[in-house]
Amino acid sequence: MLNICTSGVLAATSIQTSSVFWSVTNLIVLGLLSIGNAALWVTYVNWTHSFPQRCSTLQKLRIVHDFFVVLVPVVLVFWLGIAGPGLLFGGSWENLNPWMWGLVGFCSIGLAKLLVQTIRYQLRQSPSTMVVTESRVEEISNRTNSSLVSSGKYQRLARLPGNEQLRVEFNEKTFHLGGLPEELEELTILHISDWHFLGTITKEFFVEVCEIISNDSVDLVCFTGDLIDSQPLTDWIPDTLGKLTGRLGNYFILGNHDWYQEPASIRKAITDLNWVDVSSRTVMLDVDGSRLEIGGDETPWMGEEPKFSTAADFKLLLAHTPDRFSSAKQQRVNLVLSGHNHGGQVQLPIIGPLYSPSRHDTKYASGLFDEPPSMMHVSRGLAGRHPLRIRCLPEVTRITLHGERHSS
Ligand SMILES: [Fe+2]
């Protein structure tokens, strides 16, 4: 009799333990599905932000993202976990109806996409055609006694503990390019991008950065768009961009954030300082007898794709968004300089960047991409409308061109 009672209690305990185990497992699965859902909505934001939409439209699209990122986990817990099949209370997946399976399938696609993205991030390697010869990080606030964050918009974000917005990485990179004319050997390019003058990060930050980079001599200075986020701050241009000089000139294009402001007056403020606006066109330079052609592409927001000449010995394209890479390859552009994606601004451990306003999602968030016949350098930029940087430092890069590297 005692034996029967003991085995009955043991069986009941075992059933209870098994039920708790499956409830916890299902809770974890619902959590993973919620992450998958969020990943798909992030992709939606990245994709929609790659098109020419006004700020107000983009804001509405982001509200849709916020709504579904929050709503779907609640639906998963209440619809699948508590009500319906009651997955959190010992229910079975066999009891899901077709609509529920549809939601699970949607979230699973997002989870699979995140997994692929993570694997790609983990396996990423800089092309052998690039050598980082120097990389130093400078805390710009150490150079001045005044605060570099004002009381402007997003100031709380800028002051968030762990935010690395004021730590700038100064890079020296050497690119080995096949077909580089001898006359362009050791040509140096200062690549700067995405300064986003909004006012929250003060003018002094940009002045200090310019003081650092103006000490190095370069052949070309190239700015790849997104300078102004607040029209009155075009006043800052003479004390910042105006302090930089390339031996063969300074070249620029504008970006989508300049398009939100008054691009014509921004262009005028920069060209008044003898910078060359290469938007929708190309200019040909004679460098010791070699023809270096520089073009600018502000599409899809402004202008049109520049048409390169077949007579050029080397083609350099400034394109605000890396999405223009495929079209640059069709024109056999040798080197594309780009920005726009800011490296994602926040790079998660293991997973990497999430938000990157591109049709290619995070593929071209930042770095060098060697896809013959073209190479593309995507700068993480120096700032952003939202002044937040985590594991993704603001960047200024000085590039030196070399001919193809031969293995010894
Ligand atoms: Fe930008």
Side-chain angles (χ1 to χ4, degrees):
M1 187 68 174
L2 184 67
N3 277 348
I4 293 168
C5 285
T6 310
S7 61
V9 169
L10 282 174
T13 310
S14 161
I15 289 167
Q16 214 169 17
T17 308
S18 163
S19 170
V20 169
F21 171 79
W22 283 113
S23 294
V24 171
T25 304
N26 287 342
L27 182 64
I28 292 169
V29 172
L30 294 183
L32 288 172
L33 290 173
S34 300
I35 292 172
N37 166 66
L40 275 190
W41 288 106
V42 169
T43 300
Y44 150 86
V45 162
N46 289 341
W47 189 72
T48 52
H49 280 59
S50 71
F51 293 98
Q53 313 269 4
R54 284 288 163 191
C55 269
S56 53
T57 311
L58 291 175
Q59 212 166 5
K60 284 173 194 150
L61 294 172
R62 283 198 296 271
I63 290 172
V64 174
H65 153 279
D66 298 348
F67 179 73
F68 282 107
V69 165
V70 173
L71 178 73
V72 170
V74 174
V75 169
L76 284 171
V77 167
F78 282 95
W79 197 29
L80 278 69
I82 297 171
L87 294 175
L88 298 180
F89 297 98
S92 166
W93 287 86
E94 287 172 5
N95 297 329
L96 266 64
N97 66 36
W99 290 104
M100 291 171 177
W101 276 120
L103 181 62
V104 169
F106 176 81
C107 297
S108 301
I109 291 170
L111 205 57
K113 179 233 152 217
L114 190 63
L115 188 66
V116 169
Q117 189 178 318
T118 303
I119 292 170
R120 194 177 62 203
Y121 178 72
Q122 288 299 321
L123 297 179
R124 78 196 185 288
Q125 280 182 335
S126 287
S128 58
T129 40
M130 177 180 83
V131 180
V132 179
T133 49
E134 194 189 322
S135 182
R136 68 176 204 282
V137 175
E138 194 146 341
E139 184 70 60
I140 304 301
S141 47
N142 289 344
R143 295 174 57 89
T144 171
N145 290 327
S146 48
S147 171
L148 298 179
V149 179
S150 81
S151 55
K153 212 173 177 185
Y154 307 122
Q155 56 160 309
R156 280 196 195 142
L157 199 60
R159 294 180 204 276
L160 206 68
N163 187 351
E164 299 175 294
Q165 172 59 71
L166 303 178
R167 298 182 72 216
V168 178
E169 189 175 275
F170 295 90
N171 291 315
E172 296 269 351
K173 297 177 183 175
T174 298
F175 295 172
H176 292 270
L177 293 119
L180 183 76
E182 237 175 69
E183 296 80 8
L184 301 186
E185 186 74 21
E186 297 203 353
L187 186 93
T188 50
I189 305 169
L190 180 68
H191 181 197
I192 46 180
S193 195
D194 296 83
W195 285 18
H196 290 270
F197 291 170
L198 178 68
T200 311
I201 303 300
T202 64
K203 177 181 171 184
E204 200 164 357
F205 170 78
F206 299 98
V207 169
E208 290 293 339
V209 169
C210 286
E211 196 174 301
I212 294 169
I213 55 184
S214 62
N215 289 333
D216 294 330
S217 66
V218 286
D219 295 316
L220 302 171
V221 179
C222 295
F223 182 79
T224 48
D226 274 4
L227 181 62
I228 302 290
D229 260 320
S230 171
Q231 187 62 34
L233 301 188
T234 45
D235 286 358
W236 291 8
I237 295 173
D239 291 334
T240 51
L241 286 188
K243 299 295 177 191
L244 306 175
T245 311
R247 184 177 66 88
L248 300 172
N250 299 356
Y251 303 85
F252 79 97
I253 55 168
L254 298 183
N256 55 313
H257 283 255
D258 304 300
W259 177 60
Y260 303 146
Q261 305 297 319
E262 296 166 24
S265 84
I266 298 170
R267 276 185 217 286
K268 184 174 183 314
I270 306 175
T271 49
D272 281 351
L273 297 166
N274 291 324
W275 281 64
V276 180
D277 178 4
V278 287
S279 170
S280 309
R281 69 186 184 115
T282 67
V283 293
M284 190 75 85
L285 305 187
D286 186 312
V287 184
D288 302 328
S290 184
R291 287 159 298 187
L292 165 62
E293 191 172 22
I294 305 173
D297 190 343
E298 296 174 348
T299 64
W301 298 280
M302 291 171 282
E304 57 193 40
E305 183 188 355
K307 296 284 170 266
F308 280 86
S309 143
T310 49
D313 295 312
F314 191 86
K315 300 171 189 171
L316 173 65
L317 175 68
L318 316 188
H320 182 60
T321 172
D323 287 358
R324 302 304 301 156
F325 195 26
S326 54
S327 137
K329 284 190 276 189
Q330 281 169 13
Q331 290 208 64
R332 305 190 73 79
V333 169
N334 299 82
L335 178 62
V336 182
L337 301 180
S338 200
H340 185 57
N341 291 342
H342 302 189
Q345 289 198 208
V346 174
Q347 297 198 358
L348 299 177
I350 303 170
I351 295 172
L354 289 178
Y355 289 95
S356 176
S358 163
R359 286 170 211 190
H360 300 279
D361 215 25
T362 55
K363 183 180 178 187
Y364 297 128
S366 62
L368 184 72
F369 303 89
D370 188 0
E371 297 178 15
S374 305
M375 254 194 209
M376 176 169 71
H377 181 252
V378 183
S379 169
R380 294 191 301 268
L382 192 56
R385 182 168 176 79
H386 298 90
L388 177 68
R389 296 273 178 163
I390 296 175
R391 293 166 51 88
C392 182
L393 296 180
E395 172 186 18
V396 171
T397 295
R398 187 173 180 269
I399 297 164
T400 304
L401 303 186
H402 272 289
E404 200 161 12
R405 195 153 54 155
H406 299 287
S407 49
S408 54

